[in-house]
Amino acid sequence: MLKTLGKIGLLVPALAVGAVWLVVLRLENVPVPLLAAYGLLSAGAMAGLLWPGALGPPSTRRRVLTFLGVPAVLGTLGLYLAVVYHVTDLPVLLALAAAGCLTWAAASLLRGRRPAGGRGARQSRRAFLAAGAGLALGVLSGLSAGQVERRRREALARAERERQAAVRAPGARRRIIDGAVRVFPIHTGDTVVTYGQFYGGLAGWEGLNGYLRTLVDKTQIVVPVYAYLIDHPRHGLLLVDAGVSWEQAHDHDAYYDMTPRLLTERDEYRMTLGQDLRVSLARLGYDAGEITTVFLTHVHEDHAGGLRHLPRATVVLDRRDWEHGVLYPYSFAPVEDDLSFPAFDSGAFGAFPASQDHFGDGSVILLPTPGHSPGHMCVLLRLESGSVLFMGDTLYTLPHLAVDQVRQMTVGGADTVRQIEAARRIQHLLASEPGTVPLFAHDNTRYQSDLVASVFARGAPGEAGLRELRGHMETVLTPGWRLRPGHTPHFVAPSSGTGPGKVDFR
């Protein structure tokens, strides 16, 4: 009985590790039928090694290893090399192989002391060969680590030369200094997401179930990632979110260590050279080193990646997000000693029970909108002609304001309730302030690509520009926050049959 319980105790964690590995492979887009066959083979090998008799009277562990174990190991190695391996893994793999050889050598030496005669000599020779192989692999691990790092530095240096050339290229703007508050949308690249993650919140994409569906359903779309530069005559250069960095898009596997790399898709971010935050700022006549304040709506990587390029910035974010929402700390390393946490003690603001008047003059109001992350917040900026509300990820697009018809994937439970409450408060704010327009971080509709880009092309939209944006809102949404005909999102599969699709509104 105890022996059986012990075997079960070994099998359960082995199956759990195997399940995690299958999840990783699915994240890397390995087809489900292949994963199913590989998973059954691996589970059979594990069970067969513990209960070889279950496969038939003549079965032995040696036969299980031959017919199930060896194919499972080769399958693991093949899948890893095909979809997960990156050159930065080479020193680690060589070090593990060296450790394995040295362990084998030590075990052979211990066994070689017991038997007499030729068997002991054979064990000693095996130990000697294994130890030699271990030492050689250890040396190769050290040498390869230096080579890998040198190649990465060369690639980064090459990218830096290309970036400098893009900054100096003809056609850059001159900064306009006339005392007006200016806002510039900055397209910092794109991210590949599952369609249901973006638009399926009312179709079962919620909480753990929604996350699991992202692993299986690879119906994907590409959506933009926006940050917003604010040139304020009294408060200097401000930024709402920092977008994606070049390293995340082009040096992804070296930028992240093994664990987050395994749990994300290698091509989750896309960025052209011109979308690099530093290049975008320079082409507008600004320098990243001049940014003094970043209002971070939340700490997710597609909003925080550019922080590493803002050496003088104080990052303003909700303490709850910093303490409970950071999944990967890499982007925060350069700024973690210069963080500012609002107290939200400026009283109620419209439908919001708490707010923070950041500068004390009513120019920038921070509004807590938790749900998408523990301490998500929106940012309201006052202009002479009206106001703009930076939404972060509380709502992804203009159609998402119809929260009872279009909803992104939510965390689930109380967090979903909080996010919907925040959306209702935003609806109330926009309805009560007709001079306020929303600006989104991931809007993939013509509201962002055509109208916002046009109205904010020179930074100062004026009353006419804000009216144009509000007018478009009224063509998309009714006063009761319902979608008008022609604005409901639908997935359009790629014509090639592979790769991300598109979103059609009809």
Side-chain angles (χ1 to χ4, degrees), residues 10-36:
L10 289 173
L11 182 62
V12 170
L15 290 176
V17 171
V20 172
W21 176 235
L22 291 176
V23 168
V24 168
L25 293 174
R26 184 57 193 148
L27 280 170
E28 302 299 332
N29 292 320
V30 176
V32 172
L34 178 59
L35 285 183

Side-chain angles (χ1 to χ4, degrees), residues 387-467:
S387 303
V388 293
L389 179 65
F390 301 99
M391 306 287 281
D393 280 1
T394 302
L395 300 167
Y396 283 157
T397 72
L398 187 63
H400 280 86
L401 277 164
V403 70
D404 294 320
Q405 292 176 282
V406 178
R407 190 176 299 174
Q408 65 225 55
M409 188 176 81
T410 54
V411 177
D415 288 314
T416 294
V417 173
R418 282 189 279 267
Q419 188 166 352
I420 301 309
E421 288 176 348
R424 306 279 188 217
R425 292 190 176 108
I426 288 170
Q427 290 175 344
H428 185 277
L429 173 62
L430 293 174
S432 62
E433 296 196 15
T436 299
V437 299
L439 295 180
F440 301 89
H442 300 296
D443 195 304
N444 62 338
T445 73
R446 63 176 296 266
Y447 175 76
Q448 181 79 35
S449 59
D450 294 348
L451 284 92
V452 171
S454 173
V455 167
F456 286 91
R458 295 186 60 80
E463 291 184 15
L466 297 183
R467 279 199 306 272

Side-chain angles (χ1 to χ4, degrees), residues 113-287:
R113 291 179 180 179
R114 296 176 185 171
R119 187 178 176 188
R122 286 197 301 272
Q123 294 285 10
S124 296
R125 285 195 297 272
R126 290 175 184 173
F128 177 78
L129 292 173
L135 291 174
L137 289 169
V139 171
L140 287 175
S141 175
L143 293 174
S144 66
Q147 289 295 318
V148 167
E149 184 57 29
R150 181 179 63 80
R151 282 178 168 273
R152 182 172 185 244
R153 286 198 301 267
E154 290 175 352
L156 293 175
R158 222 170 18 250
E160 178 62 17
R161 289 193 295 271
E162 293 173 355
R163 186 183 68 80
Q164 292 292 346
V167 167
R168 294 191 298 267
R173 299 184 186 183
R174 290 183 177 273
R175 187 184 307 191
I176 302 172
I177 303 175
D178 59 2
V181 179
R182 295 185 182 274
V183 177
F184 295 98
I186 300 179
H187 185 185
T188 69
D190 302 298
T191 182
V192 180
V193 299
T194 307
Y195 176 81
Q197 176 185 344
F198 208 72
Y199 285 112
L202 293 171
W205 293 74
E206 181 180 345
L208 179 61
N209 179 59
Y211 177 72
L212 292 176
R213 290 181 71 170
T214 65
L215 303 180
V216 179
D217 188 337
K218 292 300 177 179
T219 305
Q220 295 177 320
I221 57 175
V222 179
V223 298
V225 179
Y226 277 92
Y228 291 90
L229 173 69
I230 303 170
D231 186 349
H232 203 287
R234 294 193 304 278
H235 305 306
L237 293 185
L238 320 172
L239 202 64
V240 177
D241 290 333
V244 178
S245 70
W246 186 94
E247 291 85 354
Q248 287 170 287
H250 296 281
D251 194 32
H252 184 273
D253 287 356
Y255 181 77
Y256 296 107
D257 66 23
M258 178 70 79
T259 302
R261 172 155 60 85
L262 291 178
L263 297 177
T264 57
E265 292 196 27
R266 182 167 286 167
D267 62 346
E268 62 178 329
Y269 300 121
R270 301 178 178 183
M271 176 189 288
T272 65
L273 185 62
Q275 292 169 342
D276 185 295
L277 178 63
R278 296 161 294 178
V279 174
S280 296
L281 291 172
R283 303 298 291 173
L284 290 170
Y286 301 94
D287 185 272

Side-chain angles (χ1 to χ4, degrees), residues 493-501:
S495 56
S496 63
T498 59

